[in-house]
């Protein structure tokens, strides 16, 4: 896991590499207090935001928080600050995501509704957008990675300038 900040010109700066939380056995990064921050999720961590990602995005002063994964990019933009995220709701969704992505070859079909539920449930406090790199778009949309990166860039520019 790595993290850092980026600016309005979408120039990214690495400021932190993985630290280890001995209490829960998970990796994390220290993010700067800049308005635009990013971090990665290694493939073994799941491609969705963690509970800590969601609550940090709500509590911190970041205007935009990117989570870059092997399957796509999450963009979190706070709508309201310092609100409660129901941990039991999130744990339930997280358990299904872990179960499906590790045991079912058709996991994208089962996971997509859960991803949409995360975005819908967080709407009152976070504008959550997931730009997948093709896993939920079917085989008919055969694009290269630069197509998906341009999608993310265009969305970020809209968020930064509004």
């Amino acid at each position: 896991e790595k993290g850092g900040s980026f600016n309005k010109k979408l120039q990214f700066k690495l400021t932190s590499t993985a630290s280890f939380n001995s209490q829960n056995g998970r990796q994390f990064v220290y993010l700067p207090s800049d308005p635009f921050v990013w971090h990665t999720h290694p493939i073994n961590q799941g491609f969705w935001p963690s509970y800590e990602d969601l609550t940090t995005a709500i509590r911190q002063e970041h205007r935009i928080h990117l989570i870059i994964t092997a399957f796509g990019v999450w963009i979190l933009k706070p709508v309201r600050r310092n609100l409660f995220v129901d941990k039991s709701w999130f744990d339930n969704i997280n358990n299904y995501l872990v179960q499906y992505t590790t045991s079912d070859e058709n996991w994208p079909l089962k996971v997509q509704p859960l991803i949409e539920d995360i975005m819908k449930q967080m709407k009152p406090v976070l504008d959550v957008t997931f730009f997948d790199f093709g896993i939920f778009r079917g085989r008919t949309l055969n694009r290269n990675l630069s197509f998906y990166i341009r999608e993310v860039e265009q969305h970020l520019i809209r968020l930064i300038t509004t």
Side-chain angles (χ1 to χ4, degrees), residues 15-81:
T15 61
S16 179
T17 56
S19 296
F20 185 74
N21 182 332
S22 58
Q23 292 179 342
N24 65 14
R26 295 180 49 192
Q27 292 181 2
F28 68 96
V29 291
Y30 292 103
L31 293 174
S33 59
D34 298 341
F36 310 118
V37 296
W38 65 272
H39 77 276
T40 61
H41 275 198
I43 192 106
N44 65 343
Q45 245 186 352
F47 70 90
W48 52 91
S50 67
Y51 180 77
E52 294 83 8
D53 292 337
L54 297 174
T55 56
T56 298
I58 294 168
R59 287 192 325 264
Q60 301 297 324
E61 293 303 314
H62 307 135
R63 284 187 43 215
I64 298 173
H65 188 142
L66 288 171
I67 304 168
I68 303 164
T69 77
F71 294 106
V73 175
W74 292 86
I75 301 175
L76 311 177
K77 183 177 182 183
V79 175
R80 296 175 63 197
R81 300 280 184 186

Side-chain angles (χ1 to χ4, degrees), residues 147-162:
F147 170 83
Y148 301 115
I149 291 170
R150 273 194 305 279
E151 268 189 328
V152 173
E153 285 174 340
Q154 290 167 357
H155 189 73
L156 280 173
I157 290 167
R158 277 194 302 276
L159 289 176
I160 289 170
T161 58
T162 57

Side-chain angles (χ1 to χ4, degrees), residues 67-131:
I67 304 168
I68 303 164
T69 77
F71 294 106
V73 175
W74 292 86
I75 301 175
L76 311 177
K77 183 177 182 183
V79 175
R80 296 175 63 197
R81 300 280 184 186
N82 298 316
L83 294 175
F84 175 75
V85 176
D86 184 355
K87 181 136 175 45
S88 62
W89 163 80
F90 182 84
D91 287 344
N92 193 30
I93 285 185
N94 187 65
N95 291 338
Y96 280 118
L97 287 167
V98 169
Q99 175 188 340
Y100 290 146
T101 58
T102 58
S103 66
D104 191 324
E105 65 183 41
N106 293 318
W107 65 265
L109 296 173
K110 295 180 179 176
V111 165
Q112 186 173 9
L114 298 172
I115 298 302
E116 290 169 358
D117 191 43
I118 290 173
M119 292 188 288
K120 179 181 169 194
Q121 294 295 325
M122 295 307 300
K123 210 54 152 167
V125 292
L126 277 177
D127 180 0
V128 179
T129 307
F130 179 60
F131 287 93

